[in-house]
Amino acid sequence: MVEAKKPRVVIVGAGVAGLAAAHRLFAAGGDRFDVAVVEAGARAGGRVLTSEFAGHRVEMGATWVQGVEGSPVYALAREAGALAKGGDGLSFPYERMDGFPDRVLTVAEGGEVVDADRVARPVEALYRGMMDAARAGKAGGGGGGVEEYLRRGLRAYQAARPAGGGSKEELEEVEEALLAMHINRERTDTSADDLGDLDLAAEGEYRDFPGEHVTIPGGYSRVVDRLVAALPPGTVRFGLRLRRLEWGDIPVRLHFDDDGARPATIAADHVILTVSLGVLKASLGSGNAGKDASAAAGASAIAFDPPLPQFKRDAVARLGFGAVNKLFMEVEPADAPGPECGEPPEFPFLHMAFLLRGHVSKIPWWMRGTESICPVHAGSRVALAWFAGREAAHLESLADDEAIRGVDATLAAFLPGPPRWRVRRVKRSGWATDPLFLGSYSYVAVGSSGEDLDRMAEPLPRSPGDGVDGRAPPRVLFAGEATHRTHYSTTHAAYLSGVREAERLLQHYR
């Protein structure tokens, strides 16, 4: 008897989406498919990358599990034993172990502490209430961008305030600076460079899992390790960067750059493509859109033959995909305290309100794009600032000493002391210019919608054709965080999308 040929499935990308797809296919019966995961880089994990800095475990990419009840990522972390402090035999602290601290010091540019009860907390409550309303679909006022929605809310809040003593102009300037501070946080939460480009209506579709948001003490990479360990040895192959995908017929042919030691072309019955939306955007400018791409984008682009159909190209173009970077800093008092001073001071959880007038000239423009400089946990000498968009991209271009000078100037303006603080060394991520990603995560931009996320998930070919039981065999399937309508931008979206595409193949061959 002639043994039936097993369908060959090539999964492009060894991030969470690709590994989840491979895991699901093998879990359904390892002998049903011939599965290979090809990864352009030298490691698995994609935008999950745990590292170390100044005696701390830090996340260069994915940081939070957004809700624990029903989250597959939280379940994987629990199964991997990564949720208990020191569960991996290491005792050094981990990032944001105290969640969202309430011991926040809010300071206006120049060093004046903002009154928490009268000014800072009411503006924060306004911001949180408006974003909660937007995500509940109760924002009102139609579509448009999130920033104008928030600014309208602040103007209404200020107009409703009874006339009283004090300088109205000074108070409103601080309130506007506080709202801008929260806008900076929302930019890093969503990756939108400009909140005016973040679609207000789409916020009503985004969902977290229920329960608290947590970090993973053993490191997010433990989730990746768990997925890789569950695959047969040799399933994941590194150093294969996809350059051209011929999908007009079966077999689909994948052409790679490699190190010269392995075949540059692989044939497959099905391809699950999990590359980032940033790489797909770059690919529209390489063979698909007829335009020259930047050097980084050109190094990332995939040529599709035939070109991606118009519905897929439009979805890729309309959706937003931004860069978010983290700057870790080891901080210390500028003047070492003497023995008579007792315990050394703790670096505060510093929230910064940059004023529109009266700028401190030594603060560089890119520092004005961050909400805060906070220790990674209470009492730590490692602090963290988040940046999005143009500031995140610029951060990647700076030498370490220039970045340190910028932070030192900012600390001098907000914490004039004593004690005065300075930065010893820094470590930062670099997602904007990494050619394997070209950014961090997706958002629904003005002019796009959740329907574009659904279009991102549609397999090719789209039209009916010959196949098993009259169904068209899906040749190219799409997974990744930018293909999930309600959980986009998260690791659990990546995981769920990988499982979804594996299930699509399992249903096709049932």
Side-chain angles (χ1 to χ4, degrees):
M1 295 180 62
V2 177
E3 184 178 351
K5 173 181 172 290
K6 292 188 291 187
R8 190 171 203 195
V9 181
V10 174
I11 301 169
V12 180
V16 170
L19 295 173
H23 185 268
R24 179 67 189 96
L25 290 175
F26 279 111
D31 59 344
R32 296 182 64 180
F33 298 94
D34 176 8
V35 179
V37 180
V38 293
E39 165 59 44
R43 63 174 181 86
R47 284 162 274 176
V48 173
L49 178 59
T50 304
S51 186
E52 295 179 22
F53 174 66
H56 288 62
R57 184 183 293 109
V58 295
E59 305 290 0
M60 306 308 293
T63 304
W64 295 98
V65 178
Q66 289 92 347
V68 299
E69 298 175 20
S71 166
V73 174
Y74 185 77
L76 282 168
R78 183 178 58 241
E79 293 166 8
L83 293 176
K85 290 178 10 180
D88 55 0
L90 300 177
S91 59
F92 57 80
Y94 64 97
E95 184 181 340
R96 293 309 294 266
M97 60 188 289
D98 43 9
F100 299 93
D102 54 12
R103 300 189 310 171
V104 170
L105 177 67
T106 304
V107 182
E109 184 174 349
E112 183 175 350
V113 176
V114 179
D115 187 297
D117 294 328
R118 190 173 69 92
V119 183
R121 289 196 188 104
V123 173
E124 181 177 13
L126 174 71
Y127 154 74
R128 291 188 181 279
M130 293 189 71
M131 290 310 303
D132 287 347
R135 287 171 183 144
K138 300 177 181 178
V146 168
E147 182 163 349
E148 178 53 31
Y149 163 70
L150 291 172
R151 294 197 181 280
R152 284 198 308 268
L154 179 62
R155 290 195 294 269
Y157 168 81
Q158 292 171 333
R161 180 169 39 229
S167 171
K168 179 174 181 286
E169 285 188 3
E170 289 182 7
L171 175 59
E172 290 187 349
E173 181 185 24
V174 172
E175 289 173 336
E176 289 163 5
L178 291 170
L179 181 64
M181 179 183 80
H182 294 302
I183 285 172
N184 279 336
R185 174 176 178 172
E186 199 65 32
R187 290 174 64 218
T188 59
D189 283 351
T190 62
S191 90
D193 183 27
D194 183 345
L195 281 200
D197 190 41
L198 182 66
D199 187 76
L200 178 61
E203 289 296 292
E205 289 193 319
Y206 177 83
R207 294 291 182 269
D208 288 329
F209 281 98
E212 62 180 331
H213 291 203
V214 300
T215 55
I216 300 177
Y220 231 117
S221 291
R222 291 281 294 279
V223 172
V224 173
D225 295 342
R226 174 81 176 180
L227 289 168
V228 172
L231 301 177
T235 300
V236 183
R237 300 169 58 186
F238 297 100
L240 288 168
R241 182 175 296 190
L242 182 62
R243 287 304 191 188
R244 186 174 187 84
L245 182 60
E246 297 178 7
W247 62 277
D249 205 348
I250 296 176
V252 177
R253 298 191 179 277
L254 303 92
H255 302 273
F256 298 92
D257 281 349
D258 69 358
D259 59 10
R262 287 170 286 200
T265 300
I266 298 176
D269 297 290
H270 310 281
V271 173
I272 301 179
L273 193 63
T274 75
V275 298
S276 75
L277 178 58
V279 169
L280 290 176
K281 284 180 175 290
S283 300
L284 295 186
S286 176
N288 291 308
K291 297 179 181 178
D292 292 334
S294 67
S300 308
I302 301 166
F304 291 89
D305 182 13
L308 291 175
Q310 195 64 43
F311 85 92
K312 186 74 74 172
R313 290 161 51 87
D314 289 345
V316 170
R318 284 191 294 253
L319 285 169
F321 189 75
V324 174
N325 278 320
K326 301 166 80 172
L327 176 65
F328 293 97
M329 302 151 274
E330 185 178 12
V331 294
E332 63 183 2
D335 302 306
E340 70 280 358
C341 297
E343 290 294 320
E346 290 189 1
F347 190 83
F349 291 92
L350 174 65
H351 283 197
M352 300 177 292
F354 293 97
L355 301 176
L356 299 179
R357 297 184 291 273
H359 285 171
V360 175
S361 61
K362 291 184 179 180
I363 299 176
W365 69 269
W366 53 271
M367 279 299 304
R368 297 179 180 276
T370 190
E371 172 210 26
S372 60
I373 302 176
C374 293
V376 292
H377 61 80
S380 175
R381 289 293 177 85
V382 173
L384 168 62
W386 294 68
F387 298 86
R390 65 188 80 92
E391 292 91 350
H394 185 73
L395 180 65
E396 296 183 27
S397 71
L398 299 177
D400 280 2
D401 59 351
E402 189 174 358
I404 289 171
R405 285 196 299 272
V407 178
D408 281 343
T410 305
L411 292 178
F414 282 89
L415 298 174
R420 297 187 306 276
W421 293 90
R422 65 185 177 196
V423 179
R424 289 188 61 195
R425 52 178 170 155
V426 295
K427 184 182 183 75
R428 57 255 171 90
S429 56
W431 300 107
T433 55
D434 188 319
L436 300 186
F437 308 102
L438 297 178
S440 301
Y441 35 87
S442 61
Y443 63 94
V444 180
V446 171
S448 184
S449 71
E451 293 180 1
D452 281 329
L453 293 162
D454 287 340
R455 294 184 184 104
M456 289 292 298
E458 287 193 48
L460 301 176
R462 192 184 199 187
S463 58
D466 294 332
V468 177
D469 298 329
R471 293 170 294 165
R475 295 174 206 155
V476 184
L477 303 90
F478 294 82
E481 54 83 17
T483 71
H484 198 289
R485 183 158 183 162
T486 59
H487 291 299
Y488 57 89
S489 82
T490 66
T491 51
H492 46 248
Y495 181 91
L496 292 169
S497 70
V499 172
R500 179 195 66 217
E501 296 312 306
E503 290 288 352
R504 196 189 302 273
L505 288 179
L506 290 168
Q507 288 296 313
H508 180 74
Y509 285 102
R510 67 180 178 183

